[in-house]
Amino acid sequence: THISLLMQRTYQFRALPQFHNSHTEQASVLVLPCWMCCPMGWRFFQKSCYYTSTDSMSWNESKENCTGMGSHLVVIDTEAEQVKKTQYVRKDNYYIGLSAQKVGQWHWVDQTPFNVTAVFWRTGEPSNVEEEKCVVIHWKEKKHWNWNDFRCEVHSPRICEAAAITV
């Protein structure tokens, strides 16, 4: 696997052994610079790497494809992440890691709790019909992106997410 070094510097804090004396107890912390890395062709954001596909698959095939790359379909739980993910997509529907086994009971592929206050549904969605148990980021005019429940067997591109590698 090729790894590209991103220009994203973070800092790791590592505790040094504690030194004791008879009057005080003292602990030191060493601050080390480190770099966050993503595979070639992936984009970095907030300690994660994101891949936006150019080919299309069903939701289950998309899930398996992401897993095969050591990642999962993207989990979006903040507005900042929603905005960032949509900067690199074209006019299309992109599968994300949200689905329902039973109508209206949404869950994320990585078991992140589904937060009903951090959702970005399109007006009138989810429609919560039996045929639409998967979710896409859906493009609407004027570059506005939101979520739409969708038929899982429809072939669409996907967005995968993996933890960035710290070096």
Side-chain angles (χ1 to χ4, degrees):
T1 305
H2 296 293
I3 302 292
S4 62
L5 188 60
L6 299 175
M7 300 307 287
Q8 181 65 38
R9 185 180 226 167
T10 60
Y11 293 89
Q12 286 184 330
F13 297 90
R14 296 188 181 161
L16 292 174
Q18 291 187 357
F19 299 96
H20 302 276
N21 67 31
S22 60
H23 300 291
T24 64
E25 188 172 306
Q26 190 176 6
S28 299
V29 176
L30 175 65
V31 180
L32 300 172
C34 62
W35 294 93
M36 304 297 285
C37 301
C38 290
M40 295 287 281
W42 292 58
R43 297 183 190 274
F44 178 84
F45 180 68
Q46 294 182 341
K47 298 184 181 182
S48 291
C49 301
Y50 298 91
Y51 171 77
T52 305
S53 73
T54 55
D55 62 332
S56 296
M57 300 177 173
S58 70
W59 190 89
N60 283 324
E61 292 169 329
S62 294
K63 179 181 169 187
E64 289 175 14
N65 179 265
C66 291
T67 300
M69 292 190 288
S71 64
H72 56 77
L73 284 168
V74 67
V75 173
I76 300 171
D77 51 12
T78 67
E79 186 174 1
E81 192 174 19
Q82 169 78 3
V83 169
K84 189 66 171 180
K85 296 312 145 292
T86 59
Q87 288 180 342
Y88 304 111
V89 294
R90 62 186 188 280
K91 294 180 186 180
D92 210 336
N93 294 312
Y94 288 80
Y95 280 123
I96 64 174
L98 189 60
S99 67
Q101 296 204 354
K102 291 185 180 181
V103 174
Q105 295 180 4
W106 302 105
H107 65 273
W108 291 106
V109 292
D110 72 343
Q111 306 308 312
T112 295
F114 180 67
N115 180 352
V116 295
T117 63
V119 295
F120 307 96
W121 294 111
R122 179 175 133 191
T123 303
E125 297 295 339
S127 54
N128 285 328
V129 296
E130 186 66 34
E131 302 81 34
E132 296 179 345
K133 292 184 181 173
C134 295
V135 177
V136 292
I137 291 180
H138 172 77
W139 184 83
K140 193 170 170 119
E141 66 273 355
K142 299 180 185 173
K143 296 186 179 183
H144 181 72
W145 293 88
N146 45 36
W147 300 353
N148 187 19
D149 56 349
F150 204 66
R151 298 175 69 96
C152 300
E153 66 276 1
V154 174
H155 283 221
S156 288
R158 67 208 158 278
I159 303 173
C160 302
E161 175 180 10
I165 300 165
T166 303
V167 293

